[in-house]
Amino acid sequence: MNNAFAKRLSFTSPLDDDDADVIDNLCSRDRRVAAKRYILRDGDQMLRFPIMLEGWAACYQIMRNGSRQITGLLLPGDALYFDSYPDCPAIEEIVALCPSVVAFASHEEMDRAIQSRPTIGRAMRNYGRIKNAVMATWIVNVGRRDALERMAHLICEAFARLAMIGEVDGNSFHFPLTQDDFADVLGLTPVHVNRKLQQLRHEGLIHLRSKEMTIIDRYALQQVAGFDETYLRPAREAPATEDTLLGI
Amino acid sequence: MNNAFAKRLSFTSPLDDDDADVIDNLCSRDRRVAAKRYILRDGDQMLRFPIMLEGWAACYQIMRNGSRQITGLLLPGDALYFDSYPDCPAIEEIVALCPSVVAFASHEEMDRAIQSRPTIGRAMRNYGRIKNAVMATWIVNVGRRDALERMAHLICEAFARLAMIGEVDGNSFHFPLTQDDFADVLGLTPVHVNRKLQQLRHEGLIHLRSKEMTIIDRYALQQVAGFDETYLRPAREAPATEDTLLGI
DNA sequence: GAATTTCATTTACCTATGCTAATTTGGGAA
DNA sequence: TTCCCAAATTAGCATAGGTAAATGAAATTC
């Protein structure tokens, strides 16, 4: 299984080879996107929905004064299915944060995949649930964690999410955010991101250089963050009846 | 159509009487919940999912130091379908903020409703999309809006959401949050909520007394908030113009 | 209707983070 | 290799919002 989306889904609930093939076909129409290029513009009709196959992208909103808030990070294997609707204009923009490969899948094909393959339906439903949990956690981050905790939490989350699709190498992973991007994820200023990044370094928790992040002391980092990975975990093995599939 | 959930869904895409009946049946198992009582506890198995029929509830997380962040407000007609998964433990808690009526619907029945009635499926999908948009907007609120803007934005959002189900009376509506609750929604302290609430009052934008909120100058309030209701709107509507403002 | 609890309000003081602006670093382009 | 530009770093000052503690005003309860 090479397809990142299939890997991501199969992490939430098991997929067989046929499922993986179906997913792979969904992703057949893909495109290379350079860093800083738009994957989706505000107001675009979402006739198709994006699936990240390689690279990172950010979903964001721009304020009147020009400041930006990133509302979600799309890592390899992430898709915008539930956030989009055929013929509905997008209300957020998405940019590639590094050179990426993005598939543009059709809603119809996905709907058909979900309906014809209950395991895919279950996996998608569960994937959607986890995405919601991630968003809720981001609200908690900006609302109630201070800058250091917030930063530590995001690093833990990124690690956990990348680990699901095998994109970590020990405790290291590719982390393409600039400090400006990082600030827009955390709701901070770039200057403050710099300060707190150094604090994490000085405290011996992480190492970050030329977009390569190494978590030196994972336990300590999770302690700082108050990170509990439960929210990212798949559902317990559900009694897989025909009825529990997401038939939308 | 009396069922709040049916009203809410039919706002996102039209439902006929039969659809409404199906929805109504889904809600047959309902329960009265007193203010401050749990609707869902952390770790509960979500064999059923809650639907608000009357009253307000809050979805929240508690931090190590005891502080709380509310990650979503459940208004009449709101449901936790996509955030839940049969047999999966809840990771957030939900409390009633005022005396409420909550239906507990079964996943199986809902799945069947979605499958047998395409209009319900479409409405649910669209409802889920809007809920995601609301969450994203909350991230933007806490991340990039200052206290006053944030507060104004939430009031605008509450008004718009209540208007969808006909729970506003002119520019007034029931607003049961205490200042402590409000603080936990906005990621502020109760003291600061008090300060900013008074500012909104002194500037002649709102009136709030014994849980009754009146928006005195809606346009000005939206200006302060930088509120753009587009994200709450159903799919497939004409592009935003002055007169399509929620049709209110 | 007195007692009690919950909410709202106010004040004074404090700190985490923002803001501005200058300087340095480093990785790619030529 | 050199240059160049985006990114990172540093410093000094400014402020929005936090903290703590006390008081007043409404609701609830008995």
Side-chain angles (χ1 to χ4, degrees), chain A residues 60 186-187 211 229:
Chain A
Y60 64 88
L186 301 176
K211 319 280 186 212
E229 56 150 23

Side-chain angles (χ1 to χ4, degrees), chain B residues 167-184:
Chain B
E167 292 234 349
V168 299
D169 173 16
N171 283 315
S172 298
F173 53 96
H174 182 59
F175 187 85
L177 301 194
T178 66
Q179 292 186 7
D180 282 42
D181 295 332
F182 211 174
D184 291 340

Side-chain angles (χ1 to χ4, degrees), chain B residues 6 23 45 82 109 129 153 164 188 195 225 236 248:
Chain B
I23 295 293
Q45 293 292 112
F82 287 112
E109 281 178 50
R129 178 186 64 81
H153 200 282
M164 292 177 193
L188 298 169
R195 294 195 266 246
R236 290 205 191 103
I248 301 165

Side-chain angles (χ1 to χ4, degrees), chain B residues 5-187:
Chain B
F5 186 37
K7 278 192 214 162
R8 179 66 190 80
L9 283 185
S10 73
F11 185 86
T12 74
S13 81
L15 298 186
D16 64 29
D17 290 346
D18 288 347
D19 295 324
D21 284 346
V22 170
I23 295 293
D24 212 43
N25 282 330
L26 258 180
C27 300
S28 56
R29 192 191 277 215
D30 62 10
R31 213 176 80 201
R32 225 157 252 293
V33 183
K36 297 190 192 180
R37 280 302 170 67
Y38 292 106
I39 290 173
L40 199 86
R41 297 295 293 267
D42 190 21
D44 282 358
Q45 293 292 112
M46 298 198 65
L47 305 169
R48 299 179 153 259
F49 67 94
I51 300 174
M52 295 301 291
L53 297 180
E54 293 172 31
W56 291 38
C59 206
Y60 64 87
Q61 292 180 36
I62 295 282
M63 319 287 300
R64 284 173 292 188
N65 63 9
S67 67
R68 178 177 77 150
Q69 176 67 44
I70 291 177
T71 59
L73 285 175
L74 301 177
L75 308 187
D78 279 316
L80 277 195
Y81 178 69
F82 287 112
D83 314 85
S84 60
Y85 197 92
D87 294 316
C88 189
I91 59 162
E92 293 192 312
E93 305 200 309
I94 305 180
V95 255
L97 299 171
C98 59
S100 303
V101 178
V102 186
F104 290 87
S106 90
H107 291 280
E108 291 74 23
E109 281 178 50
M110 177 51 117
D111 294 347
R112 236 174 293 132
I114 285 171
Q115 260 164 337
S116 61
R117 316 214 115 240
T119 46
I120 292 182
R122 264 194 298 280
M124 278 302 286
R125 167 80 187 277
N126 215 346
Y127 173 66
R129 178 186 64 81
I130 293 174
K131 272 196 78 168
N132 285 350
V134 168
M135 277 211 271
T137 302
W138 280 37
I139 293 172
V140 174
N141 268 357
V142 273
R144 291 295 184 211
R145 276 188 245 264
D146 70 22
L148 194 73
E149 296 169 336
R150 228 182 277 182
M151 177 173 282
H153 200 282
L154 191 93
I155 295 169
C156 291
E157 182 195 301
F159 180 84
R161 287 170 61 185
L162 290 171
M164 292 177 193
I165 51 159
E167 292 234 349
V168 299
D169 173 16
N171 283 315
S172 298
F173 53 96
H174 182 59
F175 187 85
L177 301 194
T178 66
Q179 292 186 7
D180 282 42
D181 295 332
F182 211 174
D184 291 340
V185 167
L186 301 176

Side-chain angles (χ1 to χ4, degrees), chain A residues 64 125 144 184 223 243, chain B residues 64 81 111 144 184 223:
Chain A
R64 283 173 293 186
R125 166 79 187 276
R144 292 294 184 212
D184 291 340
Q223 281 301 110
D243 302 298
Chain B
R64 284 173 292 188
Y81 178 69
D111 294 347
R144 291 295 184 211
D184 291 340
Q223 281 301 109

